[in-house]
């Protein structure tokens, strides 16, 4: 473990981010809301944890980090700077962007010990849950997976994969179009959607299309899910060769893919709240919201974006650590106020532990 004390990143304005109500034109920005500017970020630790293509991190009540590795199908834990293999998820069929992807802990984990995982199998993408047990010595182990939801189409790219329990106790799932452009606009298809499920994998009550898991549609490849302090859901999403997005999710909302991208203001579709016209600056992946700021890791962009939020409005993004740590996959708030960021560089990968100056 390498400790970097007092190392503060240098922020930069994106210069190419656009907020809704304007066309996604390179170089065009809108002023941030009067709310605030994102606070400075300090690298408290760089954990050389020996990870291989980590995809998702969640935290146990005792602050142990639990991490998925996409290609190895391994679940690993990081406790006190030491990495341990917890177990391998059976049935994972890695390839391209598929493999062992998102993790989520049950809202009642302390009593039921359920760990949820989104993964690519031989024929589809699916979600399983398994017990995460702990012995008297503190060693963690995976129980037998129980597949609770399946049938999400797979491909070499656009497999989605982010899962997270919302404030309402239901499981939200970000899927990709799996290179099937007819799916995102079809509310009876699972691809290109945000789904809302019960803990047992059924369509959650109150979904906008009746007994249907679809919560929002018209997505290309959802990569991050997070809620603000008022319970509003935001999502990060890959664009094609243009127009990566940060979206405010409305139940039943149509976000336009493949008819539109970004924020063109076209009737019948919901505009993105932030648009990065150049995907070389973003490819936003994991998403976390802390103190009114949305943080998303950038893969191609190799930076951490911080977007100030003011109600349903997003301000101008600010970039941190541009090019310093390579591709950044996931961002997650840890117990105690730290922000963890997972790299995705294959050399091997590490975790950054950040603190806000606010």
């Amino acid at each position: 473990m390498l400790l970097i004390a007092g190392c503060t990143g240098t922020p930069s304005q994106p210069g190419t981010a656009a907020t809704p109500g304007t066309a996604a034109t390179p170089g065009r920005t809108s002023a941030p809301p009067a709310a605030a500017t994102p606070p400075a970020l300090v690298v408290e630790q760089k954990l050389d944890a020996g990870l291989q293509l980590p995809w998702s991190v969640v935290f146990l009540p005792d602050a142990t980090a639990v991490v998925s590795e996409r290609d190895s199908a391994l679940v690993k834990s990081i406790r006190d700077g030491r990495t341990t293999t917890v177990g391998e998820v059976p049935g994972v069929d890695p390839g391209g962007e598929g493999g062992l992807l998102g993790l989520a802990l049950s809202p009642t984990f302390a009593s039921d010990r359920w760990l949820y995982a989104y993964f690519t199998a031989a024929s589809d993408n699916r979600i399983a849950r398994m017990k995460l047990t702990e012995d008297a010595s503190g060693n963690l182990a995976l129980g037998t997976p129980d597949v609770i939801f399946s049938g999400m189409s797979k491909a070499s790219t656009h497999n989605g994969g982010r899962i997270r329990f919302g404030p309402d106790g239901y499981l939200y799932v970000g899927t990709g179009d799996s290179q099937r452009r007819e799916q995102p606009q079809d509310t009876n298809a699972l691809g290109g959607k945000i789904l809302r499920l019960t803990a047992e994998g059924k369509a959650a009550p109150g979904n906008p299309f009746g007994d249907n898991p679809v919560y929002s549609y018209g997505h290309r490849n959802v990569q991050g899910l997070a809620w603000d302090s008022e319970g509003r859901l935001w999502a990060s999403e890959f664009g094609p060769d243009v127009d990566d997005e940060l979206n405010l999710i409305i139940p039943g909302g149509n976000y336009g893919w493949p008819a539109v991208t970004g924020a063109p203001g076209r009737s019948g579709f919901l505009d993105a709240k932030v648009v990065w016209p150049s995907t070389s600056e973003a490819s936003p992946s994991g998403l976390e919201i802390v103190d009114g700021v949305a943080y998303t890791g950038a893969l191609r962009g190799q930076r951490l974006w911080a977007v100030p939020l003011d109600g349903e409005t997003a301000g101008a993004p600010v970039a941190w650590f541009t090019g310093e740590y390579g591709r950044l996959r996931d961002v997650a708030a840890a117990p105690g106020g730290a922000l963890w960021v997972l790299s995705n560089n294959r050399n091997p990968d590490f975790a950054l532990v950040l603190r806000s100056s606010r």
Side-chain angles (χ1 to χ4, degrees):
M1 178 179 72
L2 175 64
L3 174 64
I4 307 176
C7 178
T8 305
T10 302
S12 62
Q13 292 291 339
T16 55
T19 51
T22 66
T25 304
R28 186 170 184 178
T29 65
S30 66
T37 299
L41 294 171
V42 175
V43 180
E44 184 176 85
Q45 293 177 304
K46 177 175 175 285
L47 296 173
D48 293 316
L51 302 170
Q52 299 292 330
L53 291 177
W55 212 92
S56 178
V57 58
V58 295
F59 295 92
L60 303 186
D62 67 358
T64 296
V66 177
V67 180
S68 62
E69 290 187 340
R70 188 188 72 190
D71 289 1
S72 71
L74 295 178
V75 173
K76 293 184 175 179
S77 66
I78 305 174
R79 180 183 291 165
D80 298 327
R82 188 170 68 92
T83 305
T84 303
T85 297
V86 177
E88 180 177 351
V89 178
V92 176
D93 184 32
E97 295 176 359
L100 179 58
L101 304 176
L103 299 178
L105 292 179
S106 164
T108 52
F109 177 81
S111 59
D112 61 36
R113 305 294 298 189
W114 284 121
L115 173 70
Y116 290 72
Y118 182 118
F119 66 93
T120 309
S123 60
D124 60 0
N125 286 294
R126 50 186 58 184
I127 300 168
R129 65 179 182 177
M130 61 210 89
K131 296 288 187 178
L132 184 61
T133 60
E134 184 173 7
D135 65 20
S137 300
N139 300 311
L140 297 172
L142 292 178
T144 302
D146 174 24
V147 174
I148 64 163
F149 193 82
S150 60
M152 296 172 286
S153 56
K154 63 174 283 190
S156 60
T157 60
H158 307 183
N159 288 292
R162 195 65 61 187
I163 57 175
R164 196 162 186 180
F165 278 93
D168 57 6
Y170 294 115
L171 182 65
Y172 290 74
V173 181
T175 73
D177 69 4
S178 62
Q179 303 177 18
R180 296 165 172 84
R181 285 191 166 207
E182 75 281 0
Q183 287 203 17
Q185 291 297 317
D186 179 0
T187 56
N188 291 313
L190 299 176
K193 306 295 191 301
I194 293 175
L195 311 176
R196 180 172 174 263
L197 307 174
T198 68
E200 294 73 34
K202 305 298 183 183
N207 279 357
F209 303 105
D211 188 21
N212 181 322
V214 173
Y215 190 71
S216 63
Y217 66 111
H219 298 287
R220 182 174 182 267
N221 195 18
V222 176
Q223 292 289 291
L225 301 168
W227 287 263
D228 63 24
S229 61
E230 297 301 316
R232 290 177 287 252
L233 174 60
W234 297 75
S236 55
E237 181 169 346
F238 288 166
D241 54 346
V242 295
D243 294 352
D244 290 325
E245 299 176 353
L246 178 67
N247 286 300
L248 174 62
I249 303 302
I250 305 300
N254 183 351
Y255 291 81
W257 180 255
V260 300
T261 63
R266 183 167 157 185
S267 177
F269 302 118
L270 291 170
D271 281 348
K273 295 296 185 178
V274 175
V275 178
W276 289 269
S278 173
T279 58
S280 65
E281 293 189 342
S283 297
S285 189
L287 180 67
E288 186 63 281
I289 299 175
V290 179
D291 295 333
V293 179
Y295 297 95
T296 185
L299 293 167
R300 287 190 64 201
Q302 298 189 17
R303 65 200 77 181
L304 179 69
W305 286 107
V307 182
L309 304 178
D310 183 14
E312 297 183 356
T313 302
V318 175
W320 289 89
F321 314 115
T322 301
E324 293 183 44
Y325 298 106
R327 293 162 56 87
L328 302 179
R329 170 64 72 178
D330 197 16
V331 185
L339 192 70
W340 278 47
V341 180
L342 297 180
S343 74
N344 234 201
N345 298 309
R346 301 174 181 256
N347 60 346
D349 286 298
F350 51 84
L352 297 175
V353 182
L354 309 179
R355 291 280 178 182
S356 164
S357 65
R358 182 175 292 171

